[in-house]
Amino acid sequence: MKITDARVVVCSPGRNYVTLVVETEDGLTGVGDATLNGRELAVASYLRDHVCPLLVGRDARRIEDTWQYLYKGAYWRRGPVTMAAIAAVDVALWDITGKAAGMPLYRLLGGASRDGVPVYGHASGATLDELAEDVQRHLDLGYTAVRLQASVPGLETTYGIAGEGVYEPADAPRPHEAAWESSLYLDFAPAMFARIREDFGYRVHLLHDVHHRLTPTEAGRLGAALEPYRPFWMEDPTPAEDPSAFRALRGHTTTPIAVGEVFNSIWDCQQLITERLIDYIRTAVSHAGGITHMRRIASLAELYGVRTGPHGAGDLSPVSLAAALHLDLAVPNLGIQEHMGHTGPYTEVFTHAYTFRDGYMHPGERPGLGVEFDEAAAECFPYEPRYLPVNRRLDGTVHDW
Ligand code: CS2
Ligand code: MG
């Protein structure tokens, strides 16, 4: 089954997406998501200039060999651009293989380990009243798990506050600068949880994304302060480049910790998993080398009692979400899947078989991924330069966003 063409489409139906399309001599087509928020064109170039020409003529069924060829053959290892490009190829080849077999992808991955994939939605608000209203809206939609993000009193803007539709942080042609002060946040976050537990009790799982902004000691203080409210997880409490920071953090709190959406390989995750410094690993299929590599991460995590909690923000395309759902359905140690949803006219470009119902999602039974990509429609939505914000502390120091 030789590959006859591989091409990259950058489009912006509501936000920028990078989609790889791979075709075979048998007329089968597979798609992969290569979107890296704020650096889309870098991955598009890596694919167009250095990968797609090498794919033509290869056997589309040799998924593992292609992964090894692209990973080891590049000599230069790992990194978000390289691993997003490899991920897109990997997912496209899995899509083709599923279509050739006439089976939905999850059946090629060992079949369903559960009836549906538990997901969490994003609730946010400029005030605690607005946040409570948004939590209620999610409960009315059937979610049983909700992420809480609210404006921090004293800060002009805060991460994660959606206006109309889905929160999209890459909202300007040049990075806008946001102000941050951890002390204001640390005083506020426990009050946010207290209010939502007071309004809704303990029947709903509550998650929160710290978004890399605290020191290990501050994160330990926050985790301890949140314990009475039983968070499902505290996400990215401190920058994850230094796994030893989590040893310090782990000693201060029993609040479950989720890390990994900025990771792109199993080696990024290895120490956090094997030392049980985290409870959930959040790597995404489209950022961490595709299904082939994510299966390895999930298997390593399973050995140490760590569950998966894959990243699923709106800047990961429907192709990525579909791939995640197939893997989520099959792996034995799934924790929960993020489901921020997508916004704008994306359905004019991406049609998908996945469904949401009563807090669970399912990838559907269509062969392969179950996602179709309309290249003609994509041409109506050209790329628009968009960058993620830069954070500065109130004294002007650049800080983690
Ligand atoms: C966030 C992401 O969903 C999350 O957990 O951390 O929305 C993240 O901010 C974006 O993916 C960055 O592009
Ligand atoms: Mg996050």
Side-chain angles (χ1 to χ4, degrees):
M1 188 188 292
K2 290 201 179 312
I3 293 169
T4 52
D5 188 31
R7 57 188 179 270
V8 179
V9 179
V10 183
C11 64
S12 194
R15 70 152 345 270
N16 291 319
Y17 294 115
V18 181
T19 305
L20 173 70
V21 180
V22 178
E23 284 177 345
T24 72
E25 62 189 343
D26 318 60
L28 291 176
T29 300
V31 289
D33 181 22
T35 308
L36 191 63
N37 202 358
R39 294 296 183 272
E40 291 88 356
L41 299 187
V43 187
S45 166
Y46 191 100
L47 283 166
R48 282 187 182 125
D49 299 332
H50 302 298
V51 172
C52 291
L54 305 184
L55 293 178
V56 176
R58 288 188 62 84
D59 185 335
R61 294 166 299 188
R62 297 185 64 181
I63 302 173
E64 181 70 55
D65 182 67
T66 298
W67 198 98
Q68 300 294 335
Y69 179 85
L70 293 177
Y71 182 79
K72 293 175 179 165
Y75 184 72
W76 311 108
R77 300 285 172 99
R78 300 157 68 182
V81 173
T82 300
M83 299 308 283
I86 292 175
V89 175
D90 187 76
V91 170
L93 298 187
W94 276 104
D95 189 17
I96 287 168
T97 301
K99 288 173 176 174
M103 285 194 276
L105 212 42
Y106 75 88
R107 293 198 192 283
L108 298 182
L109 301 172
S113 296
R114 53 195 57 79
D115 296 329
V117 175
V119 295
Y120 71 90
H122 280 207
S124 67
T127 65
L128 291 183
D129 288 343
E130 282 184 20
L131 176 61
E133 285 167 19
D134 207 19
V135 170
Q136 185 59 60
R137 183 175 67 83
H138 280 83
L139 295 179
D140 295 344
L141 289 170
Y143 286 94
T144 57
V146 180
R147 188 185 84 165
L148 305 181
Q149 308 293 146
S151 297
V152 175
L155 290 178
E156 194 178 317
T157 60
T158 304
Y159 161 77
I161 314 306
E164 290 300 313
V166 168
Y167 171 59
E168 173 50 68
D171 57 1
R174 287 179 63 83
H176 71 249
E177 301 206 344
W180 175 257
E181 189 52 52
S182 295
S183 60
L184 295 173
Y185 165 76
L186 284 163
D187 290 341
F188 170 70
M192 174 179 71
F193 270 84
R195 165 66 191 269
I196 301 303
R197 282 298 185 211
E198 183 185 333
D199 287 7
F200 298 96
Y202 286 79
R203 60 191 162 93
V204 54
H205 291 308
L206 300 181
L207 303 84
H208 179 60
D209 195 343
V210 184
H211 221 263
H212 324 276
R213 300 183 180 198
L214 300 179
T215 65
T217 306
E218 290 170 339
R221 172 183 153 197
L222 176 63
L226 296 182
E227 284 171 14
Y229 310 111
R230 295 214 305 273
F232 184 88
W233 79 34
M234 175 170 69
E235 177 184 341
D236 285 328
T238 192
E241 294 95 312
D242 173 11
S244 70
F246 288 78
R247 265 194 229 109
L249 166 55
R250 207 54 162 171
H252 291 293
T253 180
T254 58
T255 292
I257 296 172
V259 172
E261 70 180 49
V262 296
F263 289 169
N264 50 73
S265 82
I266 197 166
W267 294 282
D268 295 333
C269 315
Q270 184 176 8
Q271 191 175 348
L272 290 175
I273 290 172
T274 57
E275 293 189 23
R276 292 187 173 87
L277 298 176
I278 58 174
D279 301 276
Y280 298 91
I281 186 67
R282 295 238 322 125
T283 42
V285 172
S286 55
H287 292 152
I291 286 170
T292 298
H293 202 55
M294 271 282 286
R295 282 209 297 181
R296 290 196 162 90
I297 293 169
S299 298
L300 174 66
E302 186 194 359
L303 289 179
Y304 293 89
V306 173
R307 286 179 280 178
T308 63
H311 188 204
D315 48 272
L316 285 69
S317 91
V319 172
S320 181
L321 180 55
L325 291 170
H326 282 283
L327 194 61
D328 293 342
L329 200 62
V331 300
N333 58 321
L334 170 71
I336 196 166
Q337 169 68 49
E338 179 176 10
H339 179 232
M340 186 195 270
H342 297 94
T343 188
Y346 74 95
T347 53
E348 294 183 31
V349 175
F350 299 95
T351 51
H352 56 79
Y354 58 75
T355 53
F356 170 87
R357 187 175 167 202
D358 296 337
Y360 287 77
M361 293 188 78
H362 193 283
E365 297 298 334
R366 274 193 225 154
L369 280 176
V371 177
E372 299 305 321
F373 177 67
D374 185 333
E375 291 185 63
E379 286 182 17
C380 303
F381 303 99
Y383 167 77
E384 300 172 343
R386 286 289 181 275
Y387 288 89
L388 288 167
V390 170
N391 234 356
R392 287 186 186 274
R393 292 213 308 267
L394 297 183
D395 68 5
T397 309
V398 172
H399 192 72
D400 295 284
W401 174 73

